[in-house]
Amino acid sequence: MVEAFLNIGRGHSAMEQFSMSIGMKTMDRKTFDKCVVQLVKESKSIKEKVFELSRKAVREQHEILYPSKIGEDIIDIGVSFDGTWHKRGHNSLYCIGCVIDILTGLVIDFVIISKYCHHCKITAHDLGVDSAEYAVWFDSHKTSSMCEKNYDRSSTSMEVYAAEILWKRSIEKCRMRYTVILSDGDAKSFIHLSNLKIYGDIQIVKEECLNHVAKRLGTGLRNKVKEWKIKGECLGGKKKGNLTEQTITKLTNYYRKAIRDNVPDVAKMKTAIFASLYHCCSTNTNPQHKKCPSGSESWCFYNRALAKGTQIPNHCTMKTFLSEKVVSKILPVYQRLANDEILKRCSNGKTQNSNESLHNLIWHHCPKEVFVSKRRLELAALSGISQFNMGNVAFEHVKNPSITNSPALCIAKKRDGRRLKQSTLRNTVTYKTALVKKRFNKSKMEKKQLKNEGITYSAGAF
């Protein structure tokens, strides 16, 4: 019963509510907590089995793709690393750092960084934090495995510390070296690992997440609007050629597509990025399509018309237009994000979508709205990672190898089938195109409604 409620992201309070609704007795909180402790103990063997199978699969795939790695005790792999916090913002007491193999997409290790221990807090309250009794108790508690606190610095640096732990134990635990790190660039993890020289003379190479690099463009453009607004010049607003929020979103998508469609050629990436910018500021009197692709299949209407020998359409029909004044102001942002160093890191066109998907699974088992202990978090992380790596059916077999034909297994098969079908659908071009169109239509409709209704909600306005 306890495991069932934990799997759906609920705790003792939900169990009480459930028992009250159906008119049955329920266990008290102490018994519930004891069950959680027991589940954590039992999960250790399951955790070892899950990661043993995952690491074995990773090694096999690398040996198939790179035969030179066959027989090597320690192999070099590329991983995607990201941290996720239990509390939104940058003052969380918990952080989970996960390492995912880029080739297979399997999680091969994780660590939970905690700044909180419930035992320490309760005992400090009962004995007094400055008392000799507490000092004696704390010394023995700290060295035991009961203390849940393993970090006492700022919350923003938790991801960096998690990376340090995972990289330092990569050889011992996984018999692997994480020589390539795919990260979002939000934390100082790569710089910290490089300074530590974890693998001696072997350098760690950084790759950028394509989606996060594209987000930097959007952030940079919004910052430019704010910067010039302070100086008394308006780049935003509804005036044609200005940077509206919808235009920024489109430019971000153009930037992402320019990189993704031209990997791994850095020169082509750069040309496509600036083509997307100058195309938007072209006019009938000053067409700027030299960087746009040529040919009858080109996305550029101007070059497409030239190739076909048809009449060139009027530039006034362009849906995304930027004035020359705006382009001159935002050009430094493009130059910064189109430099060779950043584009080289994007040359593989990789994203951290797998990390985001994993985080979603973990927090599904342990919602961020409710504060929990580190033990609860460990169970949630293990459940999420197991489901991510193996699916429901395989995880049921790991937990109970003798299981053959139970209701739980039947449900697990249905869930895996539904998940696979959904994943296949979402990876199709048709679905992705429809999703983008749906988002833009929704945004357009919302703006139209706001324009018709006027201001109906504003802090303190009424």
Side-chain angles (χ1 to χ4, degrees):
M1 179 69 83
V2 174
E3 185 179 6
F5 274 90
L6 294 180
N7 281 337
I8 61 173
R10 294 293 179 264
H12 180 258
S13 179
M15 182 183 284
E16 284 183 327
Q17 192 75 25
F18 174 77
S19 301
M20 186 173 64
S21 299
I22 63 174
M24 63 174 278
K25 292 183 178 180
T26 187
M27 64 180 71
D28 59 19
R29 185 171 292 278
K30 285 187 177 180
T31 307
F32 185 91
D33 291 339
K34 287 179 181 178
C35 292
V36 172
V37 172
Q38 184 61 31
L39 285 171
V40 171
K41 290 179 181 178
E42 293 174 359
S43 69
K44 289 181 179 178
S45 60
I46 298 173
K47 176 183 174 182
E48 290 175 2
K49 185 66 176 176
V50 168
F51 281 112
E52 181 187 344
L53 293 171
S54 300
R55 290 162 186 164
K56 184 180 178 182
V58 168
R59 180 175 283 272
E60 287 175 353
Q61 288 300 314
H62 276 270
E63 289 177 351
I64 291 171
L65 193 61
Y66 307 104
S68 60
K69 293 183 179 181
I70 297 175
E72 291 185 3
D73 182 34
I74 301 170
I75 62 172
D76 297 341
I77 66 171
V79 298
S80 176
F81 170 75
D82 196 16
T84 177
W85 283 262
H86 179 250
K87 187 177 180 180
R88 293 179 177 89
H90 298 290
N91 56 354
S92 176
L93 296 177
Y94 298 121
C95 173
I96 305 176
C98 300
V99 170
I100 299 178
D101 174 53
I102 294 176
L103 179 63
T104 60
L106 296 176
V107 185
I108 52 179
D109 202 3
F110 81 99
V111 66
I112 297 177
I113 308 300
S114 170
K115 294 174 61 178
Y116 177 81
C117 176
H118 191 65
H119 296 290
C120 293
K121 185 176 181 180
I122 296 299
T123 309
H125 179 269
D126 293 341
L127 300 179
V129 70
D130 297 323
S131 65
E133 291 86 352
Y134 176 75
V136 173
W137 175 87
F138 183 74
D139 287 339
S140 61
H141 175 70
K142 193 68 177 176
T143 54
S144 69
S145 59
M146 293 298 294
C147 187
E148 297 181 347
K149 184 177 179 179
N150 57 11
Y151 193 68
D152 57 1
R153 295 171 66 185
S154 68
S155 297
T156 54
S157 62
M158 294 170 89
E159 184 176 333
V160 178
Y161 183 61
E164 180 182 339
I165 292 175
L166 293 169
W167 257 255
K168 280 184 176 179
R169 72 187 191 190
S170 64
I171 295 177
E172 179 187 351
K173 274 201 164 190
C174 309
R175 310 307 296 167
M176 299 172 187
R177 282 187 293 259
Y178 310 148
T179 54
V180 177
I181 175 174
L182 174 66
S183 64
D184 53 20
D186 293 342
K188 206 177 178 180
S189 305
F190 170 69
I191 297 173
H192 183 64
L193 293 172
S194 299
N195 293 336
L196 288 174
K197 295 185 177 180
I198 303 288
Y199 304 129
D201 294 333
I202 300 176
Q203 297 290 324
I204 299 173
V205 179
K206 182 184 179 184
E207 290 186 3
E208 296 281 2
C209 169
L210 180 55
N211 290 335
H212 284 87
V213 172
K215 284 181 181 179
R216 292 179 205 171
L217 178 70
T219 303
L221 295 178
R222 292 182 186 94
N223 289 340
K224 279 293 178 184
V225 173
K226 294 176 183 177
E227 177 189 331
W228 284 98
K229 186 177 181 180
I230 294 172
K231 295 178 181 179
E233 196 164 344
C234 182
L235 298 186
K238 298 179 181 179
K239 185 180 177 182
K240 187 178 180 181
N242 281 12
L243 274 176
T244 62
E245 187 60 37
Q246 191 173 8
T247 302
I248 291 175
T249 303
K250 286 184 177 181
L251 291 174
T252 302
N253 290 334
Y254 296 160
Y255 175 86
R256 183 190 294 109
K257 192 174 188 303
I259 296 177
R260 187 176 60 241
D261 291 352
N262 293 283
V263 294
D265 195 318
V266 173
K268 287 184 178 179
M269 287 185 208
K270 184 177 288 190
T271 301
I273 289 169
F274 284 106
S276 67
L277 174 64
Y278 289 118
H279 176 89
C280 294
C281 69
S282 297
T283 60
N284 291 330
T285 56
N286 185 25
Q288 300 188 51
H289 303 282
K290 291 181 180 179
K291 293 183 180 293
C292 296
S294 57
S296 58
E297 299 297 324
S298 173
W299 54 262
C300 173
F301 69 89
Y302 186 89
N303 287 347
R304 189 170 62 246
L306 287 178
K308 291 181 178 179
T310 57
Q311 184 179 358
I312 297 173
N314 195 320
H315 282 75
C316 295
T317 60
M318 291 193 337
K319 294 182 179 179
T320 307
F321 175 71
L322 296 172
S323 66
E324 289 187 7
K325 181 189 77 171
V326 170
V327 171
S328 64
K329 298 291 191 299
I330 66 175
L331 187 59
V333 179
Y334 271 84
Q335 290 172 337
R336 175 171 59 85
L337 292 174
N339 69 67
D340 290 346
E341 186 179 353
I342 289 179
L343 295 182
K344 282 178 183 177
R345 291 176 177 176
C346 298
S347 59
N348 287 325
K350 300 294 184 181
T351 68
Q352 284 197 309
N353 289 347
S354 55
N355 292 80
E356 302 297 338
S357 177
L358 173 63
H359 297 165
N360 182 55
L361 277 174
I362 291 173
W363 298 123
H364 175 75
H365 291 281
C366 186
K368 293 188 176 186
E369 289 77 18
V370 182
F371 184 76
V372 297
S373 65
K374 187 186 174 189
R375 293 192 185 95
R376 280 277 306 274
L377 206 55
E378 286 175 353
L379 291 172
L382 178 60
S383 298
I385 290 170
S386 301
Q387 186 179 348
F388 183 85
N389 278 6
M390 313 174 76
N392 294 287
V393 174
F395 186 45
E396 288 296 323
H397 281 297
V398 169
K399 289 194 294 184
N400 186 7
S402 60
I403 192 172
T404 53
N405 191 20
S406 69
L409 195 61
C410 293
I411 295 171
K413 288 179 180 177
K414 287 182 181 179
R415 287 176 63 84
D416 281 349
R418 189 163 60 241
R419 181 185 175 197
L420 185 62
K421 185 178 179 181
Q422 189 180 59
S423 177
T424 305
L425 174 65
R426 289 180 176 178
N427 277 325
T428 59
V429 178
T430 306
Y431 180 86
K432 291 178 180 179
T433 306
L435 185 62
V436 171
K437 188 176 180 181
K438 182 180 178 181
R439 286 174 180 169
F440 272 112
N441 288 339
K442 183 179 178 182
S443 176
K444 189 176 180 180
M445 179 61 68
E446 184 69 18
K447 287 183 178 180
K448 186 178 179 181
Q449 290 172 343
L450 286 172
K451 185 177 180 181
N452 294 335
E453 296 170 3
I455 299 174
T456 56
Y457 180 88
S458 181
F462 304 101

